[in-house]
């Protein structure tokens, strides 16, 4: 039996109000000079001030870098590194959705080791740690608070660089569902489908193992019954809590297994057309699942059962058919636009398909899929997703 390599944050604080325990967690880790990496919206909403006020009350002085951008770029990370080096910081607190968290990881790494982000992209694996990262997610989506990856866009080549290694695994994660109440419906939907995709892909991946399987199934059980609920009623506390926990469990699952073809094909869409990551995953998930399922029918059937759309009395083929129906229904009910409806130009899409296929293959994620496509098959899937 092969040995699974499992890695987790040293500290989790999970539940309503967990973000308020940042001073205690820093003290436990012997840290006292944090740089908070966040975004402008969280500053304007007052959330960052609440975090800083809690630190100040505990006698901890923090500086704030709020210039992160959606789908963080080499330039935005470099600006954060310069800001970090201008102070005497002993740790980085990532506060926000996937983009601030990924930015925090990259800034903490480059702040210690230097170099260019491209030096650290896959197949390079960076295990030697940078500055400690404490992650506080504000969306129930990426699971970045529990993963050993960061994704940074090289704006010179429009490539979303997957950077793996233990260096990117936060030492602590404060998972506070109360931070998600104010998120708009589109963001709630897209990040929710993102976390569902993480769980499904972790479970069907060729690198799945019993530990990641358990987390993936728990995540699907938490997310599937609650995704529509949080979209229809943003203040549904029980559903928000389940979604936040599910997103973290899904992050743990894929960090200790892998993502697969959906993510491999999704990153180039985000890089070239600036589609939010969760939304590009949602665009791809039904078509890629339908294409992949014959190679792992039992695994995808397990997903359908964990999501509550099939029961144990049904055979695998019927369960997978229900899964495909559910994924299509989710996209329809949550009004997930296709590439054309998003506003992407058809000629530019077609022209970039060969590049997107090459970038997807180079990331390594498609090789983890139960059914591994060649570039012609990926091009066919991109065409299918365009056609809807």
């Amino acid at each position: 039996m092969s040995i699974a390599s499992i890695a987790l944050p040293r500290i989790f604080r999970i539940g309503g109000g967990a973000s308020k325990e940042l001073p205690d967690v820093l003290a436990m880790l012997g840290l006292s000079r944090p740089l908070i990496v966040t975004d402008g919206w969280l500053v304007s909403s007052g959330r960052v001030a609440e975090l800083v006020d809690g630190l100040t009350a505990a006698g901890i002085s923090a500086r704030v870098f709020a210039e992160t951008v959606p789908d963080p770029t080499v330039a935005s990370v470099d600006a954060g590194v310069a800001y970090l080096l201008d102070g005497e910081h002993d740790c980085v607190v990532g506060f926000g959705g996937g983009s601030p968290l990924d930015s925090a990881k990259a800034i903490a790494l480059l702040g210690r080791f230097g170099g260019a982000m491209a030096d650290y992209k896959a197949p390079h694996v960076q295990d030697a740690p940078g500055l400690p990262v404490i992650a506080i997610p504000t969306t129930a989506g990426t699971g970045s608070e529990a993963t050993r990856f960061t994704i940074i866009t090289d704006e010179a080549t429009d490539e979303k660089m997957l950077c793996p290694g233990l260096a990117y695994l936060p030492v602590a994660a404060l998972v506070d569902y109360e931070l998600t109440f104010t998120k708009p419906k589109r963001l709630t939907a897209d990040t929710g489908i993102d976390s569902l995709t993480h769980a499904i892909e972790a479970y069907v991946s060729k690198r799945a193992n019993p530990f990641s399987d358990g987390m993936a199934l728990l995540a699907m059980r938490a997310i599937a019954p609650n995704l529509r609920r949080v979209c229809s009623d943003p203040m549904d506390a029980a559903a928000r809590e389940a979604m936040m926990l599910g997103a973290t469990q899904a992050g743990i699952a894929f960090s200790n297994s892998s993502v697969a073809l959906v993510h491999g094909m999704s990153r180039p869409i985000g890089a070239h057309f600036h589609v939010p990551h969760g939304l590009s995953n949602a665009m791809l998930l039904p078509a890629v699942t339908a294409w992949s399922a014959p190679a792992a029918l039992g695994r995808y059937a397990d997903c359908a059962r964990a999501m509550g759309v099939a029961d144990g009395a049904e055979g695998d083929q019927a369960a997978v058919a229900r899964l495909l129906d559910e994924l299509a229904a989710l996209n329809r009910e949550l009004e997930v636009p296709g590439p054309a409806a998003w506003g992407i130009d058809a000629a530019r899409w077609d022209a970039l398909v060969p590049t997107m296929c090459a970038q997807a293959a180079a990331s390594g994620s498609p090789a983890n899929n139960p059914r591994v496509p060649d570039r012609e098959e990926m091009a066919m899937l991109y065409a299918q997703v365009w056609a809807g």
Side-chain angles (χ1 to χ4, degrees):
M1 187 178 76
S2 61
I3 296 173
S5 176
I6 307 301
L8 300 167
R10 287 168 59 190
I11 299 169
F12 277 107
R13 298 286 174 92
I14 299 174
S19 59
K20 295 181 176 65
E21 299 198 353
L22 178 59
D24 293 342
V25 169
L26 290 174
M28 183 184 302
L29 293 168
L31 302 169
S32 60
R33 301 186 305 279
L35 173 68
I36 298 172
V37 174
T38 187
D39 61 32
W41 188 87
L42 285 162
V43 171
S44 64
S45 70
R47 290 289 195 189
V48 173
E50 291 175 11
L51 203 63
V52 171
D53 288 347
L55 291 170
T56 302
I60 297 172
S61 177
R63 294 167 76 230
V64 176
F65 176 76
E67 309 307 312
T68 64
V69 296
D71 297 320
T73 62
V74 167
S76 69
V77 167
D78 285 348
V81 172
Y83 193 84
L84 172 77
L85 295 177
D86 194 42
E88 295 187 357
H89 297 288
D90 60 4
C91 62
V92 178
V93 175
F95 182 55
S99 295
L101 296 189
D102 278 2
S103 299
K105 294 177 176 186
I107 290 166
L109 177 78
L110 294 181
R112 172 160 285 178
F113 292 109
M117 207 65 226
D119 300 336
Y120 299 94
K121 72 176 182 178
H124 177 84
V125 176
Q126 179 67 27
D127 286 334
L131 292 177
V133 174
I134 296 89
I136 307 176
T138 62
T139 61
T142 68
S144 186
E145 68 275 7
T147 72
R148 45 179 141 180
F149 306 99
T150 192
I151 299 174
I152 306 298
T153 299
D154 183 345
E155 58 268 61
T157 60
D158 276 343
E159 178 189 4
K160 275 196 169 185
M161 300 181 291
L162 174 65
C163 304
L166 292 174
Y168 308 107
L169 184 67
V171 297
L174 281 55
V175 183
D176 183 351
Y177 73 89
E178 291 177 357
L179 297 173
T180 67
F181 283 129
T182 54
K183 301 303 171 188
K185 180 179 177 180
R186 179 77 273 146
L187 182 64
T188 296
D190 295 344
T191 54
I193 295 176
D194 187 22
S195 57
L196 181 63
T197 306
H198 292 154
I200 292 172
E201 290 213 298
Y203 191 76
V204 303
S205 166
K206 289 182 174 180
R207 298 174 66 184
N209 56 75
F211 178 86
S212 63
D213 284 353
M215 283 293 171
L217 293 170
L218 285 172
M220 284 183 259
R221 290 181 187 124
I223 295 162
N226 290 294
L227 181 49
R228 289 177 178 86
R229 282 177 58 181
V230 291
C231 289
S232 62
D233 180 5
M235 300 307 292
D236 185 330
R240 286 284 192 189
E241 184 173 19
M243 290 296 296
M244 198 67 158
L245 179 59
T248 297
Q249 290 167 331
I252 292 170
F254 87 79
S255 183
N256 291 288
S257 169
S258 72
V259 288
L261 182 56
V262 173
H263 276 74
M265 292 179 63
S266 172
R267 292 186 204 103
I269 295 175
H272 292 287
F273 301 105
H274 306 293
V275 178
H277 174 66
L279 180 55
S280 56
N281 276 349
M283 291 176 179
L284 289 159
L285 183 58
V288 171
T289 301
W291 184 82
S292 304
L297 206 64
R299 285 253 145 186
Y300 282 103
D302 288 344
C303 294
R305 295 177 188 117
M307 290 168 59
V309 297
D311 61 43
E314 293 181 280
D316 289 350
Q317 193 81 47
V320 171
R322 289 190 184 276
L323 174 65
L324 298 177
D325 287 346
E326 170 66 0
L327 296 180
L330 265 179
N331 277 13
R332 186 170 59 251
E333 292 170 34
L334 301 183
E335 300 177 331
V336 173
W342 177 253
I344 295 172
D345 177 73
R348 187 159 180 260
W349 174 276
D350 289 341
L352 281 168
V353 161
T355 299
M356 292 197 294
C357 292
Q359 290 178 342
S363 75
S365 297
N368 300 322
N369 207 57
R371 183 181 180 187
V372 179
D374 57 29
R375 294 190 186 183
E376 290 73 21
E377 288 168 319
M378 276 195 277
M380 175 273 295
L381 285 166
Y382 278 127
Q384 189 177 335
V385 168
W386 178 272

